[in-house]
């Protein structure tokens, strides 16, 4: 065929006749077998010829009957009319074994944070904050003069358990003043012959060296008791009350006398470098339950017995004998019989040949008592004694806290003693002794 559409004129057009001529038979299914098995055998033979091996390749349908699969329909879709068969694929394996359901562990109930310890009792919250605000000023050349805000101690000997604490008052914490209270706990001796001493002192109010005077008072009485502990322990076990009172009175006067001498060395008045002093002696012998208190100055001595507080602070004995400076009153008449009817208020000048009278001293306090099983003995300074006497809720709170079978731990004891009361913001120092039941 040429481009002008003429008839074929040469051999170059024979291919057209061969393809589209009338004599060419129509294509259709070949007469040779053309099944899946036949195609597999043909491919296997070609592979064997290429690899050079004559091993026959088994037919995948050898000896197996054709399996007719029923029609399937995608699950989850609506089936057309007449479609009732829905089977999984033939190669699906056996269903997985059922795993027993594990019980879901119960989640713990949400716990609320532990409640804070009681902050205060009484009509309302105290004026100052519960936590320290300001630190006392420090001298870089005298750092030993610094006093910690809180001191905590404890021990267990014989049948008694001791807890002791001294903490700065709310007022001093707010104003940045040092703690005027001082605490000393010491053991002298060993074994059952040991003697425990708890000493606490409070420096004079509104004096710059109050904390130093309190610490010095505890130091002097501790040294005096330590040097005489063997004799004191023997007197306690033998219940020599008279000897104990007189001996401890001398030791106390001697210690406070050194405090007055220290004031003279500093060139200040004795009242400006003074301190109250309260002490407790506890023998370590489990067979001896005698507890000895002695000291000078205000404070408190209480006993918790059978759920009730007892105020056992020794009372100062009334003055007796001839009137002396600071005690008693003038007599009604002179030894010659002249009655005094008028006081002109004229002060007699002191004689240059007589020493000036010493200032009035605090009376000595002493008490020795035998404890019972389950008793709790509390010795404290005025910072805790005053609110304990003045606020019934504080006494009730401590009764509930300290009436258990076991004494509180150090942290619990600290929390108990710092429960505040409005109107009482002084330093607190306390020592409590629990008797085993």
């Amino acid at each position: 065929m040429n481009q002008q559409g003429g008839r074929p004129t040469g051999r170059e057009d024979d291919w057209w006749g061969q393809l589209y001529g009338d004599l060419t038979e129509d294509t259709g299914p070949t007469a040779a077998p053309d099944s899946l098995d036949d195609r597999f055998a043909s491919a296997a033979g070609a592979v064997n010829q290429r690899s050079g091996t004559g091993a026959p390749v088994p037919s995948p349908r050898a000896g197996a009957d054709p399996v007719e699969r029923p029609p399937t329909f995608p699950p989850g879709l609506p089936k057309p009319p007449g479609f009732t068969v829905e089977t999984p694929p033939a190669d699906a394996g056996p269903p997985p074994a059922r795993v027993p359901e594990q019980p879901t562990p119960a989640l713990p109930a949400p716990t609320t944070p532990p409640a804070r310890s009681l902050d205060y009792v009484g009509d309302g919250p105290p004026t100052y904050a519960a936590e320290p605000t300001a630190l006392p000023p420090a001298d870089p050349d005298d750092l030993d003069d610094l006093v910690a805000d809180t001191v905590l101690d404890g021990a267990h000997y014989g049948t008694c358990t001791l807890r002791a604490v001294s903490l700065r008052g709310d007022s001093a914490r707010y104003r940045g003043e040092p703690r005027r209270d001082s605490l000393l706990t010491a053991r002298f001796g060993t074994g059952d012959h040991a003697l425990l001493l708890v000493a606490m002192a409070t420096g004079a109010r509104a004096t710059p060296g109050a904390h130093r005077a309190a610490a010095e008072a505890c130091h002097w009485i501790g040294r005096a008791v330590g040097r005489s502990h063997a004799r004191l322990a023997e007197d306690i076990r033998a219940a020599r009350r008279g000897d104990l009172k007189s001996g401890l009175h001398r030791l106390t006067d001697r210690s406070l006398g050194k405090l007055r001498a220290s004031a003279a060395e500093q060139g200040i008045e004795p009242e400006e470098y003074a301190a109250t002093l309260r002490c407790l002696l506890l023998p370590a012998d489990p067979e001896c339950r005698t507890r000895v208190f002695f000291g000078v100055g205000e404070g408190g001595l209480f006993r918790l017995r059978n759920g009730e507080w007892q105020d056992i602070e020794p009372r100062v004995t009334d003055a007796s004998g001839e009137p002396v400076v600071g005690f008693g009153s003038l007599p009604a008449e002179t030894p010659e019989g002249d009655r005094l009817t008028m006081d002109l208020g004229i002060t007699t000048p002191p004689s240059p040949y007589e020493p000036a009278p010493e200032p009035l001293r605090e009376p000595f306090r002493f008490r020795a008592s035998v404890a019972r099983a389950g008793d709790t003995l509390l010795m404290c300074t005025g910072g805790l004694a005053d609110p304990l006497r003045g606020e019934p809720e504080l006494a009730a709170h401590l009764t509930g806290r300290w009436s258990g079978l076991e004494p509180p731990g150090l942290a619990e004891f600290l929390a108990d003693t710092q429960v505040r009361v409005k109107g009482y913001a002084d330093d607190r120092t306390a020592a409590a002794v629990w008797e085993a039941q």
Side-chain angles (χ1 to χ4, degrees), residues 5-218:
R7 298 179 60 88
T9 58
R11 296 180 57 86
E12 63 274 6
D13 295 328
D14 289 346
W15 62 274
W16 180 266
Q18 296 176 5
L19 181 60
Y20 295 105
D22 296 335
L23 299 178
T24 304
E25 296 181 359
D26 191 12
T27 60
T30 179
D34 189 23
S35 65
L36 178 62
D37 293 340
D38 297 332
R39 293 188 179 186
F40 181 84
S42 175
V47 171
N48 291 339
Q49 292 176 3
R50 181 176 298 179
S51 61
T53 61
V57 178
S59 172
R61 297 179 178 267
D65 297 334
V67 179
E68 295 184 0
R69 296 184 179 181
T72 61
F73 193 81
L77 298 178
K79 303 178 179 61
F83 196 98
T84 58
V85 180
E86 182 175 349
T87 58
D91 56 352
R98 182 178 179 83
V99 179
E101 296 183 0
Q102 298 292 336
T104 304
L107 296 177
T111 59
T112 57
R116 294 184 58 185
S117 58
L118 184 63
D119 182 24
Y120 66 89
V121 294
D123 298 335
T127 304
Y128 301 100
E131 301 299 332
T133 302
L135 290 173
D139 183 358
D141 296 326
D142 191 13
L143 295 179
D144 292 338
D145 191 51
L146 295 178
V147 181
D149 177 89
T150 303
V151 176
L152 189 63
D153 205 353
H156 177 82
Y157 286 93
T159 60
C160 67
T161 300
L162 171 66
R163 299 287 182 262
V165 65
S166 180
L167 53 95
R168 194 162 50 135
D170 292 346
S171 177
R173 285 177 168 180
Y174 176 78
R175 302 175 187 278
E177 298 174 353
R179 174 168 48 90
R180 293 186 297 117
D181 280 7
S182 182
L183 174 67
L184 171 68
T185 54
R187 173 181 61 89
F188 303 107
T190 58
D192 293 345
H193 297 281
L195 184 65
L196 307 183
L197 168 67
V198 181
M200 56 186 66
T202 302
R205 190 183 301 273
T207 56
H211 60 290
R212 289 189 293 269
E216 192 172 341
C218 291

Side-chain angles (χ1 to χ4, degrees), residues 20-395:
Y20 295 105
D22 296 335
L23 299 178
T24 304
E25 296 181 359
D26 191 12
T27 60
T30 179
D34 189 23
S35 65
L36 178 62
D37 293 340
D38 297 332
R39 293 188 179 186
F40 181 84
S42 175
V47 171
N48 291 339
Q49 292 176 3
R50 181 176 298 179
S51 61
T53 61
V57 178
S59 172
R61 297 179 178 267
D65 297 334
V67 179
E68 295 184 0
R69 296 184 179 181
T72 61
F73 193 81
L77 298 178
K79 303 178 179 61
F83 196 98
T84 58
V85 180
E86 182 175 349
T87 58
D91 56 352
R98 182 178 179 83
V99 179
E101 296 183 0
Q102 298 292 336
T104 304
L107 296 177
T111 59
T112 57
R116 294 184 58 185
S117 58
L118 184 63
D119 182 24
Y120 66 89
V121 294
D123 298 335
T127 304
Y128 301 100
E131 301 299 332
T133 302
L135 290 173
D139 183 358
D141 296 326
D142 191 13
L143 295 179
D144 292 338
D145 191 51
L146 295 178
V147 181
D149 177 89
T150 303
V151 176
L152 189 63
D153 205 353
H156 177 82
Y157 286 93
T159 60
C160 67
T161 300
L162 171 66
R163 299 287 182 262
V165 65
S166 180
L167 53 95
R168 194 162 50 135
D170 292 346
S171 177
R173 285 177 168 180
Y174 176 78
R175 302 175 187 278
E177 298 174 353
R179 174 168 48 90
R180 293 186 297 117
D181 280 7
S182 182
L183 174 67
L184 171 68
T185 54
R187 173 181 61 89
F188 303 107
T190 58
D192 293 345
H193 297 281
L195 184 65
L196 307 183
L197 168 67
V198 181
M200 56 186 66
T202 302
R205 190 183 301 273
T207 56
H211 60 290
R212 289 189 293 269
E216 192 172 341
C218 291
H219 171 81
W220 288 119
I221 195 64
R223 174 177 293 185
V225 170
R227 292 176 175 177
S228 306
H229 76 274
R231 175 64 183 274
L232 292 172
E234 182 181 352
D235 289 343
I236 293 175
R237 287 193 297 267
R240 302 189 186 106
R241 186 179 184 278
D243 295 344
L244 280 171
K245 184 176 181 180
S246 60
L248 293 174
H249 196 174
R250 287 193 302 269
L251 296 181
T252 303
D253 284 347
R254 193 177 304 167
S255 300
L256 296 180
K258 292 183 178 181
L259 199 62
R260 291 188 293 269
S262 180
E265 293 176 359
Q266 301 177 42
I268 58 179
E269 296 295 330
E271 295 82 2
E272 298 179 5
Y273 200 74
T276 63
L277 181 63
R278 308 177 68 80
C279 303
L280 192 63
L281 294 179
L282 307 171
D285 187 355
E287 301 299 328
C288 180
R289 289 205 176 195
T290 302
R291 312 302 181 222
V292 178
F293 161 80
F294 67 96
V296 171
E298 298 295 331
L301 184 66
F302 306 92
R303 180 170 57 201
L304 180 59
R305 175 176 289 178
N306 299 327
E308 294 183 359
W309 282 106
Q310 302 172 359
D311 192 342
I312 58 175
E313 175 76 11
R315 294 185 178 182
V316 179
T317 58
D318 296 334
S320 60
E322 294 291 333
V324 295
V325 176
F327 290 93
S329 59
L330 293 175
E333 59 183 17
T334 64
E336 291 78 13
D338 297 332
R339 297 184 61 85
L340 301 178
T341 59
M342 180 181 298
D343 183 10
L344 300 179
I346 301 175
T347 305
T348 303
S351 172
Y353 304 101
E354 295 180 2
E358 294 184 359
L360 178 63
R361 299 179 184 178
E362 290 283 350
F364 178 74
R365 302 169 188 261
F366 174 88
R367 185 184 185 94
S369 59
V370 179
R372 298 180 185 176
D375 283 355
T376 300
L377 183 65
L378 174 64
M379 179 184 70
C380 55
T381 59
L384 181 60
D386 293 342
L388 192 58
R389 293 189 179 107
E391 181 52 61
E393 290 188 23
L394 179 59

